[in-house]
PDB file of all heavy atoms in Angstrom:
ATOM      1  N   MET A  25       8.191  28.147  -4.425  1.00 82.00           N
ATOM      2  CA  MET A  25       8.326  26.746  -4.098  1.00 82.00           C
ATOM      3  C   MET A  25       6.893  26.181  -3.956  1.00 82.00           C
ATOM      4  O   MET A  25       6.036  26.823  -3.361  1.00 82.00           O
ATOM      5  CB  MET A  25       9.079  26.596  -2.785  1.00 82.00           C
ATOM      6  CG  MET A  25       9.259  25.199  -2.355  1.00 82.00           C
ATOM      7  SD  MET A  25      10.179  24.937  -0.820  1.00 82.00           S
ATOM      8  CE  MET A  25      11.290  26.299  -0.736  1.00 82.00           C
ATOM      9  N   GLN A  26       6.718  24.954  -4.458  1.00 93.00           N
ATOM     10  CA  GLN A  26       5.396  24.346  -4.331  1.00 93.00           C
ATOM     11  C   GLN A  26       5.408  23.251  -3.286  1.00 93.00           C
ATOM     12  O   GLN A  26       6.198  22.343  -3.332  1.00 93.00           O
ATOM     13  CB  GLN A  26       5.034  23.751  -5.712  1.00 93.00           C
ATOM     14  CG  GLN A  26       4.925  24.788  -6.790  1.00 93.00           C
ATOM     15  CD  GLN A  26       4.561  24.179  -8.136  1.00 93.00           C
ATOM     16  OE1 GLN A  26       4.366  22.980  -8.217  1.00 93.00           O
ATOM     17  NE2 GLN A  26       4.520  25.001  -9.118  1.00 93.00           N
ATOM     18  N   LYS A  27       4.490  23.391  -2.342  1.00 95.00           N
ATOM     19  CA  LYS A  27       4.414  22.424  -1.198  1.00 95.00           C
ATOM     20  C   LYS A  27       4.230  20.978  -1.649  1.00 95.00           C
ATOM     21  O   LYS A  27       4.896  20.092  -1.141  1.00 95.00           O
ATOM     22  CB  LYS A  27       3.306  22.816  -0.221  1.00 95.00           C
ATOM     23  CG  LYS A  27       3.611  24.024   0.592  1.00 95.00           C
ATOM     24  CD  LYS A  27       2.464  24.303   1.532  1.00 95.00           C
ATOM     25  CE  LYS A  27       2.627  25.564   2.297  1.00 95.00           C
ATOM     26  NZ  LYS A  27       1.481  25.813   3.228  1.00 95.00           N
ATOM     27  N   GLU A  28       3.346  20.774  -2.586  1.00 96.00           N
ATOM     28  CA  GLU A  28       3.070  19.394  -3.029  1.00 96.00           C
ATOM     29  C   GLU A  28       4.317  18.719  -3.622  1.00 96.00           C
ATOM     30  O   GLU A  28       4.621  17.597  -3.300  1.00 96.00           O
ATOM     31  CB  GLU A  28       1.899  19.378  -4.041  1.00 96.00           C
ATOM     32  CG  GLU A  28       0.577  19.669  -3.446  1.00 96.00           C
ATOM     33  CD  GLU A  28      -0.528  19.675  -4.455  1.00 96.00           C
ATOM     34  OE1 GLU A  28      -0.395  19.133  -5.546  1.00 96.00           O
ATOM     35  OE2 GLU A  28      -1.561  20.315  -4.130  1.00 96.00           O
ATOM     36  N   LYS A  29       5.044  19.458  -4.488  1.00 96.00           N
ATOM     37  CA  LYS A  29       6.281  18.928  -5.054  1.00 96.00           C
ATOM     38  C   LYS A  29       7.354  18.713  -3.977  1.00 96.00           C
ATOM     39  O   LYS A  29       8.090  17.721  -4.016  1.00 96.00           O
ATOM     40  CB  LYS A  29       6.789  19.828  -6.154  1.00 96.00           C
ATOM     41  CG  LYS A  29       5.929  19.750  -7.394  1.00 96.00           C
ATOM     42  CD  LYS A  29       6.592  20.585  -8.513  1.00 96.00           C
ATOM     43  CE  LYS A  29       5.738  20.432  -9.784  1.00 96.00           C
ATOM     44  NZ  LYS A  29       6.358  21.192 -10.890  1.00 96.00           N
ATOM     45  N   LEU A  30       7.406  19.628  -3.035  1.00 95.00           N
ATOM     46  CA  LEU A  30       8.352  19.452  -1.918  1.00 95.00           C
ATOM     47  C   LEU A  30       8.058  18.213  -1.094  1.00 95.00           C
ATOM     48  O   LEU A  30       8.940  17.432  -0.790  1.00 95.00           O
ATOM     49  CB  LEU A  30       8.373  20.694  -1.022  1.00 95.00           C
ATOM     50  CG  LEU A  30       9.220  20.640   0.237  1.00 95.00           C
ATOM     51  CD1 LEU A  30      10.728  20.413  -0.135  1.00 95.00           C
ATOM     52  CD2 LEU A  30       9.063  21.854   1.064  1.00 95.00           C
ATOM     53  N   MET A  31       6.803  17.981  -0.785  1.00 95.00           N
ATOM     54  CA  MET A  31       6.395  16.815  -0.029  1.00 95.00           C
ATOM     55  C   MET A  31       6.673  15.533  -0.822  1.00 95.00           C
ATOM     56  O   MET A  31       7.193  14.543  -0.243  1.00 95.00           O
ATOM     57  CB  MET A  31       4.899  16.840   0.315  1.00 95.00           C
ATOM     58  CG  MET A  31       4.527  17.950   1.288  1.00 95.00           C
ATOM     59  SD  MET A  31       5.370  17.808   2.883  1.00 95.00           S
ATOM     60  CE  MET A  31       6.507  19.121   2.781  1.00 95.00           C
ATOM     61  N   GLN A  32       6.491  15.547  -2.096  1.00 97.00           N
ATOM     62  CA  GLN A  32       6.812  14.379  -2.957  1.00 97.00           C
ATOM     63  C   GLN A  32       8.297  14.123  -2.939  1.00 97.00           C
ATOM     64  O   GLN A  32       8.766  12.987  -2.788  1.00 97.00           O
ATOM     65  CB  GLN A  32       6.296  14.609  -4.343  1.00 97.00           C
ATOM     66  CG  GLN A  32       6.615  13.448  -5.268  1.00 97.00           C
ATOM     67  CD  GLN A  32       6.156  13.672  -6.722  1.00 97.00           C
ATOM     68  OE1 GLN A  32       5.568  14.690  -7.026  1.00 97.00           O
ATOM     69  NE2 GLN A  32       6.433  12.707  -7.568  1.00 97.00           N
ATOM     70  N   TYR A  33       9.076  15.176  -3.086  1.00 96.00           N
ATOM     71  CA  TYR A  33      10.532  15.077  -3.081  1.00 96.00           C
ATOM     72  C   TYR A  33      11.042  14.482  -1.751  1.00 96.00           C
ATOM     73  O   TYR A  33      11.872  13.597  -1.739  1.00 96.00           O
ATOM     74  CB  TYR A  33      11.124  16.491  -3.324  1.00 96.00           C
ATOM     75  CG  TYR A  33      12.606  16.550  -3.181  1.00 96.00           C
ATOM     76  CD1 TYR A  33      13.444  16.246  -4.263  1.00 96.00           C
ATOM     77  CD2 TYR A  33      13.217  16.952  -1.986  1.00 96.00           C
ATOM     78  CE1 TYR A  33      14.808  16.326  -4.163  1.00 96.00           C
ATOM     79  CE2 TYR A  33      14.596  17.002  -1.873  1.00 96.00           C
ATOM     80  CZ  TYR A  33      15.408  16.706  -2.954  1.00 96.00           C
ATOM     81  OH  TYR A  33      16.732  16.774  -2.825  1.00 96.00           O
ATOM     82  N   LEU A  34      10.524  15.024  -0.644  1.00 94.00           N
ATOM     83  CA  LEU A  34      10.947  14.545   0.666  1.00 94.00           C
ATOM     84  C   LEU A  34      10.564  13.096   0.858  1.00 94.00           C
ATOM     85  O   LEU A  34      11.315  12.303   1.419  1.00 94.00           O
ATOM     86  CB  LEU A  34      10.351  15.427   1.775  1.00 94.00           C
ATOM     87  CG  LEU A  34      10.898  16.861   1.890  1.00 94.00           C
ATOM     88  CD1 LEU A  34      10.114  17.649   2.864  1.00 94.00           C
ATOM     89  CD2 LEU A  34      12.391  16.824   2.213  1.00 94.00           C
ATOM     90  N   SER A  35       9.347  12.724   0.405  1.00 95.00           N
ATOM     91  CA  SER A  35       8.943  11.341   0.546  1.00 95.00           C
ATOM     92  C   SER A  35       9.848  10.374  -0.216  1.00 95.00           C
ATOM     93  O   SER A  35      10.223   9.339   0.299  1.00 95.00           O
ATOM     94  CB  SER A  35       7.478  11.224   0.033  1.00 95.00           C
ATOM     95  OG  SER A  35       7.028   9.856   0.084  1.00 95.00           O
ATOM     96  N   GLU A  36      10.210  10.784  -1.408  1.00 97.00           N
ATOM     97  CA  GLU A  36      11.100   9.951  -2.212  1.00 97.00           C
ATOM     98  C   GLU A  36      12.506   9.889  -1.595  1.00 97.00           C
ATOM     99  O   GLU A  36      13.095   8.785  -1.582  1.00 97.00           O
ATOM    100  CB  GLU A  36      11.190  10.492  -3.636  1.00 97.00           C
ATOM    101  CG  GLU A  36       9.933  10.315  -4.444  1.00 97.00           C
ATOM    102  CD  GLU A  36       9.974  10.987  -5.788  1.00 97.00           C
ATOM    103  OE1 GLU A  36      11.038  11.417  -6.256  1.00 97.00           O
ATOM    104  OE2 GLU A  36       8.865  11.093  -6.398  1.00 97.00           O
ATOM    105  N   ALA A  37      12.970  10.982  -1.038  1.00 95.00           N
ATOM    106  CA  ALA A  37      14.255  10.973  -0.370  1.00 95.00           C
ATOM    107  C   ALA A  37      14.279  10.084   0.815  1.00 95.00           C
ATOM    108  O   ALA A  37      15.215   9.325   1.072  1.00 95.00           O
ATOM    109  CB  ALA A  37      14.666  12.413  -0.005  1.00 95.00           C
ATOM    110  N   ILE A  38      13.221  10.125   1.600  1.00 92.00           N
ATOM    111  CA  ILE A  38      13.119   9.246   2.775  1.00 92.00           C
ATOM    112  C   ILE A  38      13.078   7.772   2.347  1.00 92.00           C
ATOM    113  O   ILE A  38      13.739   6.937   2.947  1.00 92.00           O
ATOM    114  CB  ILE A  38      11.890   9.648   3.645  1.00 92.00           C
ATOM    115  CG1 ILE A  38      12.117  11.018   4.292  1.00 92.00           C
ATOM    116  CG2 ILE A  38      11.559   8.592   4.693  1.00 92.00           C
ATOM    117  CD1 ILE A  38      10.887  11.659   4.863  1.00 92.00           C
ATOM    118  N   ASP A  39      12.258   7.490   1.319  1.00 95.00           N
ATOM    119  CA  ASP A  39      12.171   6.121   0.826  1.00 95.00           C
ATOM    120  C   ASP A  39      13.529   5.575   0.357  1.00 95.00           C
ATOM    121  O   ASP A  39      13.765   4.393   0.478  1.00 95.00           O
ATOM    122  CB  ASP A  39      11.144   6.020  -0.332  1.00 95.00           C
ATOM    123  CG  ASP A  39       9.720   6.218   0.136  1.00 95.00           C
ATOM    124  OD1 ASP A  39       9.458   6.145   1.350  1.00 95.00           O
ATOM    125  OD2 ASP A  39       8.877   6.458  -0.750  1.00 95.00           O
ATOM    126  N   LYS A  40      14.386   6.443  -0.154  1.00 96.00           N
ATOM    127  CA  LYS A  40      15.715   6.009  -0.593  1.00 96.00           C
ATOM    128  C   LYS A  40      16.747   6.013   0.503  1.00 96.00           C
ATOM    129  O   LYS A  40      17.892   5.671   0.291  1.00 96.00           O
ATOM    130  CB  LYS A  40      16.200   6.971  -1.693  1.00 96.00           C
ATOM    131  CG  LYS A  40      15.298   6.967  -2.951  1.00 96.00           C
ATOM    132  CD  LYS A  40      16.029   6.542  -4.148  1.00 96.00           C
ATOM    133  CE  LYS A  40      15.165   6.688  -5.348  1.00 96.00           C
ATOM    134  NZ  LYS A  40      14.770   5.425  -5.895  1.00 96.00           N
ATOM    135  N   GLY A  41      16.310   6.353   1.736  1.00 94.00           N
ATOM    136  CA  GLY A  41      17.212   6.337   2.911  1.00 94.00           C
ATOM    137  C   GLY A  41      18.145   7.531   2.996  1.00 94.00           C
ATOM    138  O   GLY A  41      19.115   7.470   3.744  1.00 94.00           O
ATOM    139  N   LEU A  42      17.822   8.595   2.275  1.00 96.00           N
ATOM    140  CA  LEU A  42      18.688   9.804   2.356  1.00 96.00           C
ATOM    141  C   LEU A  42      18.437  10.578   3.659  1.00 96.00           C
ATOM    142  O   LEU A  42      17.376  10.504   4.261  1.00 96.00           O
ATOM    143  CB  LEU A  42      18.351  10.736   1.175  1.00 96.00           C
ATOM    144  CG  LEU A  42      18.564  10.171  -0.173  1.00 96.00           C
ATOM    145  CD1 LEU A  42      18.180  11.184  -1.256  1.00 96.00           C
ATOM    146  CD2 LEU A  42      20.013   9.745  -0.397  1.00 96.00           C
ATOM    147  N   ARG A  43      19.470  11.254   4.147  1.00 96.00           N
ATOM    148  CA  ARG A  43      19.387  12.025   5.340  1.00 96.00           C
ATOM    149  C   ARG A  43      18.777  13.372   5.011  1.00 96.00           C
ATOM    150  O   ARG A  43      19.210  14.054   4.078  1.00 96.00           O
ATOM    151  CB  ARG A  43      20.762  12.210   5.923  1.00 96.00           C
ATOM    152  CG  ARG A  43      20.792  12.943   7.268  1.00 96.00           C
ATOM    153  CD  ARG A  43      22.208  12.897   7.843  1.00 96.00           C
ATOM    154  NE  ARG A  43      22.257  13.465   9.140  1.00 96.00           N
ATOM    155  CZ  ARG A  43      21.899  12.832  10.253  1.00 96.00           C
ATOM    156  NH1 ARG A  43      21.525  11.612  10.240  1.00 96.00           N
ATOM    157  NH2 ARG A  43      21.977  13.478  11.406  1.00 96.00           N
ATOM    158  N   ILE A  44      17.766  13.798   5.765  1.00 96.00           N
ATOM    159  CA  ILE A  44      17.116  15.067   5.587  1.00 96.00           C
ATOM    160  C   ILE A  44      17.556  16.005   6.720  1.00 96.00           C
ATOM    161  O   ILE A  44      17.539  15.668   7.857  1.00 96.00           O
ATOM    162  CB  ILE A  44      15.543  14.923   5.666  1.00 96.00           C
ATOM    163  CG1 ILE A  44      15.077  13.867   4.701  1.00 96.00           C
ATOM    164  CG2 ILE A  44      14.888  16.259   5.478  1.00 96.00           C
ATOM    165  CD1 ILE A  44      15.261  14.193   3.236  1.00 96.00           C
ATOM    166  N   SER A  45      17.934  17.237   6.276  1.00 96.00           N
ATOM    167  CA  SER A  45      18.354  18.262   7.239  1.00 96.00           C
ATOM    168  C   SER A  45      17.518  19.524   7.080  1.00 96.00           C
ATOM    169  O   SER A  45      17.343  20.012   5.967  1.00 96.00           O
ATOM    170  CB  SER A  45      19.844  18.567   6.984  1.00 96.00           C
ATOM    171  OG  SER A  45      20.334  19.503   7.925  1.00 96.00           O
ATOM    172  N   VAL A  46      17.029  20.054   8.202  1.00 94.00           N
ATOM    173  CA  VAL A  46      16.177  21.241   8.226  1.00 94.00           C
ATOM    174  C   VAL A  46      16.913  22.301   9.040  1.00 94.00           C
ATOM    175  O   VAL A  46      17.438  21.956  10.100  1.00 94.00           O
ATOM    176  CB  VAL A  46      14.822  20.933   8.882  1.00 94.00           C
ATOM    177  CG1 VAL A  46      13.967  22.157   8.939  1.00 94.00           C
ATOM    178  CG2 VAL A  46      14.108  19.827   8.151  1.00 94.00           C
ATOM    179  N   ALA A  47      16.938  23.501   8.550  1.00 93.00           N
ATOM    180  CA  ALA A  47      17.526  24.607   9.342  1.00 93.00           C
ATOM    181  C   ALA A  47      16.718  25.851   9.212  1.00 93.00           C
ATOM    182  O   ALA A  47      16.179  26.164   8.164  1.00 93.00           O
ATOM    183  CB  ALA A  47      18.976  24.863   8.806  1.00 93.00           C
ATOM    184  N   SER A  48      16.550  26.525  10.337  1.00 88.00           N
ATOM    185  CA  SER A  48      15.841  27.791  10.349  1.00 88.00           C
ATOM    186  C   SER A  48      16.813  28.849  10.912  1.00 88.00           C
ATOM    187  O   SER A  48      17.257  28.762  12.028  1.00 88.00           O
ATOM    188  CB  SER A  48      14.620  27.728  11.259  1.00 88.00           C
ATOM    189  OG  SER A  48      14.078  29.011  11.496  1.00 88.00           O
ATOM    190  N   PHE A  49      17.094  29.850  10.045  1.00 86.00           N
ATOM    191  CA  PHE A  49      18.028  30.917  10.407  1.00 86.00           C
ATOM    192  C   PHE A  49      17.333  32.248  10.508  1.00 86.00           C
ATOM    193  O   PHE A  49      17.914  33.275  10.508  1.00 86.00           O
ATOM    194  CB  PHE A  49      19.138  30.989   9.385  1.00 86.00           C
ATOM    195  CG  PHE A  49      20.000  29.804   9.323  1.00 86.00           C
ATOM    196  CD1 PHE A  49      19.860  28.884   8.314  1.00 86.00           C
ATOM    197  CD2 PHE A  49      20.975  29.604  10.287  1.00 86.00           C
ATOM    198  CE1 PHE A  49      20.636  27.756   8.219  1.00 86.00           C
ATOM    199  CE2 PHE A  49      21.788  28.473  10.206  1.00 86.00           C
ATOM    200  CZ  PHE A  49      21.596  27.564   9.185  1.00 86.00           C
ATOM    201  N   SER A  50      15.978  32.247  10.563  1.00 78.00           N
ATOM    202  CA  SER A  50      15.190  33.509  10.555  1.00 78.00           C
ATOM    203  C   SER A  50      15.552  34.411  11.736  1.00 78.00           C
ATOM    204  O   SER A  50      15.637  33.883  12.891  1.00 78.00           O
ATOM    205  CB  SER A  50      13.723  33.185  10.554  1.00 78.00           C
ATOM    206  OG  SER A  50      12.994  34.377  10.552  1.00 78.00           O
ATOM    207  N   SER A  51      15.705  35.679  11.523  1.00 74.00           N
ATOM    208  CA  SER A  51      16.006  36.572  12.600  1.00 74.00           C
ATOM    209  C   SER A  51      14.774  37.082  13.304  1.00 74.00           C
ATOM    210  O   SER A  51      14.889  37.795  14.278  1.00 74.00           O
ATOM    211  CB  SER A  51      16.817  37.775  12.028  1.00 74.00           C
ATOM    212  OG  SER A  51      16.034  38.472  11.101  1.00 74.00           O
ATOM    213  N   ASN A  52      13.597  36.724  12.819  1.00 81.00           N
ATOM    214  CA  ASN A  52      12.358  37.197  13.492  1.00 81.00           C
ATOM    215  C   ASN A  52      11.664  36.080  14.256  1.00 81.00           C
ATOM    216  O   ASN A  52      10.488  36.177  14.559  1.00 81.00           O
ATOM    217  CB  ASN A  52      11.406  37.838  12.489  1.00 81.00           C
ATOM    218  CG  ASN A  52      10.860  36.880  11.498  1.00 81.00           C
ATOM    219  OD1 ASN A  52      11.415  35.763  11.311  1.00 81.00           O
ATOM    220  ND2 ASN A  52       9.832  37.231  10.752  1.00 81.00           N
ATOM    221  N   VAL A  53      12.387  34.993  14.554  1.00 86.00           N
ATOM    222  CA  VAL A  53      11.781  33.868  15.322  1.00 86.00           C
ATOM    223  C   VAL A  53      12.218  33.979  16.772  1.00 86.00           C
ATOM    224  O   VAL A  53      13.424  34.143  17.062  1.00 86.00           O
ATOM    225  CB  VAL A  53      12.273  32.553  14.703  1.00 86.00           C
ATOM    226  CG1 VAL A  53      11.834  31.372  15.591  1.00 86.00           C
ATOM    227  CG2 VAL A  53      11.691  32.380  13.325  1.00 86.00           C
ATOM    228  N   ASN A  54      11.231  33.875  17.691  1.00 89.00           N
ATOM    229  CA  ASN A  54      11.611  33.926  19.061  1.00 89.00           C
ATOM    230  C   ASN A  54      11.866  32.495  19.603  1.00 89.00           C
ATOM    231  O   ASN A  54      11.638  31.506  18.874  1.00 89.00           O
ATOM    232  CB  ASN A  54      10.497  34.631  19.886  1.00 89.00           C
ATOM    233  CG  ASN A  54       9.153  33.942  19.863  1.00 89.00           C
ATOM    234  OD1 ASN A  54       9.076  32.741  19.627  1.00 89.00           O
ATOM    235  ND2 ASN A  54       8.110  34.725  20.107  1.00 89.00           N
ATOM    236  N   LYS A  55      12.243  32.394  20.849  1.00 91.00           N
ATOM    237  CA  LYS A  55      12.606  31.119  21.411  1.00 91.00           C
ATOM    238  C   LYS A  55      11.426  30.160  21.441  1.00 91.00           C
ATOM    239  O   LYS A  55      11.598  28.939  21.169  1.00 91.00           O
ATOM    240  CB  LYS A  55      13.106  31.362  22.852  1.00 91.00           C
ATOM    241  CG  LYS A  55      13.592  30.100  23.542  1.00 91.00           C
ATOM    242  CD  LYS A  55      14.229  30.427  24.915  1.00 91.00           C
ATOM    243  CE  LYS A  55      14.774  29.203  25.580  1.00 91.00           C
ATOM    244  NZ  LYS A  55      15.427  29.532  26.831  1.00 91.00           N
ATOM    245  N   GLU A  56      10.235  30.608  21.704  1.00 92.00           N
ATOM    246  CA  GLU A  56       9.025  29.761  21.800  1.00 92.00           C
ATOM    247  C   GLU A  56       8.731  29.090  20.470  1.00 92.00           C
ATOM    248  O   GLU A  56       8.437  27.908  20.412  1.00 92.00           O
ATOM    249  CB  GLU A  56       7.816  30.528  22.314  1.00 92.00           C
ATOM    250  CG  GLU A  56       7.916  30.963  23.776  1.00 92.00           C
ATOM    251  CD  GLU A  56       8.845  32.163  23.994  1.00 92.00           C
ATOM    252  OE1 GLU A  56       9.104  32.951  23.048  1.00 92.00           O
ATOM    253  OE2 GLU A  56       9.309  32.321  25.099  1.00 92.00           O
ATOM    254  N   VAL A  57       8.828  29.823  19.365  1.00 92.00           N
ATOM    255  CA  VAL A  57       8.595  29.263  18.056  1.00 92.00           C
ATOM    256  C   VAL A  57       9.667  28.239  17.710  1.00 92.00           C
ATOM    257  O   VAL A  57       9.420  27.190  17.215  1.00 92.00           O
ATOM    258  CB  VAL A  57       8.482  30.371  16.967  1.00 92.00           C
ATOM    259  CG1 VAL A  57       8.410  29.808  15.601  1.00 92.00           C
ATOM    260  CG2 VAL A  57       7.289  31.268  17.259  1.00 92.00           C
ATOM    261  N   ALA A  58      10.930  28.597  17.969  1.00 94.00           N
ATOM    262  CA  ALA A  58      12.019  27.700  17.649  1.00 94.00           C
ATOM    263  C   ALA A  58      11.914  26.394  18.423  1.00 94.00           C
ATOM    264  O   ALA A  58      12.072  25.349  17.844  1.00 94.00           O
ATOM    265  CB  ALA A  58      13.364  28.401  17.940  1.00 94.00           C
ATOM    266  N   VAL A  59      11.586  26.467  19.672  1.00 95.00           N
ATOM    267  CA  VAL A  59      11.472  25.232  20.462  1.00 95.00           C
ATOM    268  C   VAL A  59      10.249  24.404  20.059  1.00 95.00           C
ATOM    269  O   VAL A  59      10.276  23.163  20.074  1.00 95.00           O
ATOM    270  CB  VAL A  59      11.489  25.495  21.995  1.00 95.00           C
ATOM    271  CG1 VAL A  59      10.146  26.033  22.503  1.00 95.00           C
ATOM    272  CG2 VAL A  59      11.857  24.222  22.760  1.00 95.00           C
ATOM    273  N   GLU A  60       9.188  25.067  19.624  1.00 95.00           N
ATOM    274  CA  GLU A  60       8.010  24.339  19.169  1.00 95.00           C
ATOM    275  C   GLU A  60       8.330  23.499  17.920  1.00 95.00           C
ATOM    276  O   GLU A  60       8.000  22.311  17.850  1.00 95.00           O
ATOM    277  CB  GLU A  60       6.876  25.288  18.829  1.00 95.00           C
ATOM    278  CG  GLU A  60       5.676  24.654  18.199  1.00 95.00           C
ATOM    279  CD  GLU A  60       4.638  25.599  17.609  1.00 95.00           C
ATOM    280  OE1 GLU A  60       4.655  26.787  17.943  1.00 95.00           O
ATOM    281  OE2 GLU A  60       3.818  25.119  16.761  1.00 95.00           O
ATOM    282  N   PHE A  61       8.983  24.127  16.993  1.00 95.00           N
ATOM    283  CA  PHE A  61       9.350  23.387  15.718  1.00 95.00           C
ATOM    284  C   PHE A  61      10.410  22.296  16.017  1.00 95.00           C
ATOM    285  O   PHE A  61      10.397  21.223  15.433  1.00 95.00           O
ATOM    286  CB  PHE A  61       9.725  24.351  14.617  1.00 95.00           C
ATOM    287  CG  PHE A  61       8.531  24.892  13.908  1.00 95.00           C
ATOM    288  CD1 PHE A  61       7.890  25.993  14.416  1.00 95.00           C
ATOM    289  CD2 PHE A  61       8.022  24.242  12.823  1.00 95.00           C
ATOM    290  CE1 PHE A  61       6.736  26.501  13.781  1.00 95.00           C
ATOM    291  CE2 PHE A  61       6.863  24.721  12.180  1.00 95.00           C
ATOM    292  CZ  PHE A  61       6.225  25.830  12.662  1.00 95.00           C
ATOM    293  N   ALA A  62      11.320  22.597  16.909  1.00 96.00           N
ATOM    294  CA  ALA A  62      12.339  21.584  17.278  1.00 96.00           C
ATOM    295  C   ALA A  62      11.690  20.391  17.941  1.00 96.00           C
ATOM    296  O   ALA A  62      12.008  19.255  17.659  1.00 96.00           O
ATOM    297  CB  ALA A  62      13.392  22.220  18.195  1.00 96.00           C
ATOM    298  N   ALA A  63      10.696  20.637  18.819  1.00 97.00           N
ATOM    299  CA  ALA A  63       9.994  19.566  19.491  1.00 97.00           C
ATOM    300  C   ALA A  63       9.207  18.700  18.499  1.00 97.00           C
ATOM    301  O   ALA A  63       9.198  17.475  18.619  1.00 97.00           O
ATOM    302  CB  ALA A  63       9.089  20.133  20.563  1.00 97.00           C
ATOM    303  N   ARG A  64       8.590  19.349  17.548  1.00 96.00           N
ATOM    304  CA  ARG A  64       7.828  18.602  16.521  1.00 96.00           C
ATOM    305  C   ARG A  64       8.776  17.692  15.695  1.00 96.00           C
ATOM    306  O   ARG A  64       8.484  16.558  15.400  1.00 96.00           O
ATOM    307  CB  ARG A  64       7.049  19.548  15.638  1.00 96.00           C
ATOM    308  CG  ARG A  64       5.891  20.179  16.429  1.00 96.00           C
ATOM    309  CD  ARG A  64       5.191  21.271  15.699  1.00 96.00           C
ATOM    310  NE  ARG A  64       4.602  20.863  14.451  1.00 96.00           N
ATOM    311  CZ  ARG A  64       4.061  21.710  13.577  1.00 96.00           C
ATOM    312  NH1 ARG A  64       4.038  23.010  13.811  1.00 96.00           N
ATOM    313  NH2 ARG A  64       3.555  21.261  12.443  1.00 96.00           N
ATOM    314  N   LEU A  65       9.933  18.276  15.306  1.00 96.00           N
ATOM    315  CA  LEU A  65      10.907  17.469  14.538  1.00 96.00           C
ATOM    316  C   LEU A  65      11.494  16.348  15.437  1.00 96.00           C
ATOM    317  O   LEU A  65      11.729  15.273  14.941  1.00 96.00           O
ATOM    318  CB  LEU A  65      12.041  18.397  14.036  1.00 96.00           C
ATOM    319  CG  LEU A  65      13.012  17.685  13.122  1.00 96.00           C
ATOM    320  CD1 LEU A  65      12.292  17.281  11.794  1.00 96.00           C
ATOM    321  CD2 LEU A  65      14.223  18.577  12.801  1.00 96.00           C
ATOM    322  N   SER A  66      11.672  16.651  16.688  1.00 97.00           N
ATOM    323  CA  SER A  66      12.147  15.664  17.654  1.00 97.00           C
ATOM    324  C   SER A  66      11.229  14.423  17.671  1.00 97.00           C
ATOM    325  O   SER A  66      11.696  13.291  17.666  1.00 97.00           O
ATOM    326  CB  SER A  66      12.251  16.261  19.048  1.00 97.00           C
ATOM    327  OG  SER A  66      12.541  15.297  20.017  1.00 97.00           O
ATOM    328  N   ASP A  67       9.950  14.658  17.684  1.00 97.00           N
ATOM    329  CA  ASP A  67       8.983  13.556  17.629  1.00 97.00           C
ATOM    330  C   ASP A  67       9.137  12.765  16.380  1.00 97.00           C
ATOM    331  O   ASP A  67       9.090  11.499  16.386  1.00 97.00           O
ATOM    332  CB  ASP A  67       7.543  14.063  17.744  1.00 97.00           C
ATOM    333  CG  ASP A  67       7.187  14.557  19.158  1.00 97.00           C
ATOM    334  OD1 ASP A  67       7.905  14.229  20.088  1.00 97.00           O
ATOM    335  OD2 ASP A  67       6.219  15.316  19.250  1.00 97.00           O
TER     336      ASP A  67
END
């Protein structure tokens, strides 16, 4: 996956008013990492 293309895709989706959903299902993530990323998305 290419970050630049992903950022362009997300930007276009947001401009069109599409709903963006992010999910992390990793089994090696602890509570501190999960809450950090949730807080950033919350902002």
Side-chain angles (χ1 to χ4, degrees):
M25 181 182 329
Q26 297 179 4
K27 286 182 184 179
E28 289 178 21
K29 286 185 178 182
L30 175 60
M31 294 299 108
Q32 180 181 358
Y33 175 84
L34 291 173
S35 179
E36 290 174 12
I38 291 167
D39 290 346
K40 299 239 185 252
L42 300 178
R43 185 172 183 82
I44 305 295
S45 183
V46 177
S48 170
F49 296 102
S50 179
S51 62
N52 65 344
V53 172
N54 64 23
K55 184 175 183 176
E56 291 77 22
V57 172
V59 76
E60 174 191 342
F61 277 86
R64 290 169 62 187
L65 188 67
S66 172
D67 287 342

